[in-house]
Amino acid sequence: MKFRPSAAGAAATSSAIKRAALSSVLGMALLAGCSTSPPVHYYTLTGAELPDNASQGQAQTPTQATPAFMLEVLPVTVPPPADQPQLMMREQGGGLTPLYSERWSAPLADEVRGALADTLTRTLGAPDVAAIRAPAGAPVWRVTVDVQRLDSVTGREAIVDATWRVRPANLRGQAWQCRSISRVPVQGTDAESAVRGLRDATRDLALTIASAIQDGTGHPRPGSAQVQLMGCNQINE
């Protein structure tokens, strides 16, 4: 005798098959969506090209056993809105847009400190000893930086607004506390253009700081035509 399923049973079986097929289609769609996620790109502020008029290696020549002084670039503070793993783009209307697939290769405060130290060491020819203890009595310039604004305005400009201080230890020199604003035009609207602008603006900040160290007692000078010195005060310590 042959078994014939009831109409209700046949309908239930058909419904189950349809649900299974639908689940399979949805699963494939989710997998396809994951496979097409945009790749993540990583960026750094270090390695900006120095301008031709930047003096390099003044503090040390190949024949010197030790540099004339050392640098101690202390940890940098950055504003919370910019201090994110991903790039934060400032829209011309004032809003912020996170670019989740465009990320910094290190925490932003470390990126800024590393970029400043890189430009200062290349410009002045002096090593950065912040990570190690300088020998007792060694001549050191200590650099402290508080970044109050770090923005890339889409398609317009990159801005690094910072208050900074340089202070000599165990050598003759004038301590200064200054505020400077670096503004670099940005042509493109992509992440690479934004990072390039911020990298150059950070370099210009470092060149401005270097000017306060190079002369020892001279007044700090803008590191480029794109820098505004908003005020400098001598510090007597």
Side-chain angles (χ1 to χ4, degrees):
M1 184 176 74
K2 293 182 178 180
F3 174 76
R4 295 179 179 274
S6 65
T13 301
S14 176
S15 178
I17 292 174
K18 289 180 180 179
R19 286 197 299 270
L22 179 60
S23 297
S24 177
V25 170
L26 289 174
M28 293 175 64
L30 288 173
L31 288 175
C34 292
S35 65
T36 57
S37 297
V40 176
H41 302 106
Y42 292 91
Y43 300 92
T44 182
L45 293 174
T46 304
E49 184 177 352
L50 295 180
D52 294 337
N53 61 350
S55 300
Q56 300 185 44
Q58 287 190 356
Q60 183 180 15
T61 65
T63 59
Q64 287 179 306
T66 57
F69 56 82
M70 300 179 185
L71 297 167
E72 187 177 354
V73 184
L74 298 175
V76 172
T77 58
V78 296
D83 190 18
Q84 306 295 329
Q86 66 276 354
L87 271 63
M88 302 295 291
M89 298 294 294
R90 176 78 62 180
E91 302 302 331
Q92 297 191 14
L96 285 171
T97 299
L99 303 182
Y100 291 108
S101 296
E102 316 296 336
R103 296 175 174 264
W104 297 112
S105 63
L108 187 57
D110 293 341
E111 282 287 337
V112 175
R113 199 212 76 85
L116 293 173
D118 174 65
T119 298
L120 286 169
T121 56
R122 286 191 289 149
T123 302
L124 300 171
D128 173 32
V129 295
I132 60 176
R133 186 178 297 276
V140 176
W141 279 93
R142 292 192 174 93
V143 180
T144 306
V145 179
D146 173 28
V147 178
Q148 298 171 353
R149 182 181 179 188
L150 191 148
D151 268 339
S152 182
V153 183
T154 303
R156 180 179 294 178
E157 62 181 353
I159 303 170
V160 175
D161 181 346
T163 298
W164 49 271
R165 180 171 64 182
V166 294
R167 180 164 53 91
N170 303 317
L171 78 163
R172 178 176 176 271
Q174 175 62 56
W176 290 94
Q177 180 168 308
C178 305
R179 180 190 172 203
S180 61
I181 303 177
S182 307
R183 295 178 181 270
V184 175
V186 174
Q187 301 299 325
T189 59
D190 58 309
E192 188 172 347
S193 298
V195 172
R196 188 183 306 113
L198 290 171
R199 186 185 298 127
D200 289 350
T202 305
R203 174 206 61 201
D204 290 349
L205 168 61
L207 292 175
T208 305
I209 295 171
S211 75
I213 296 174
Q214 283 172 326
D215 295 335
T217 58
H219 195 285
R221 302 180 307 276
S224 78
Q226 302 167 142
V227 176
Q228 289 179 288
L229 267 177
M230 306 304 293
C232 285
N233 296 315
Q234 292 185 358
I235 302 173
N236 297 318
E237 298 180 327

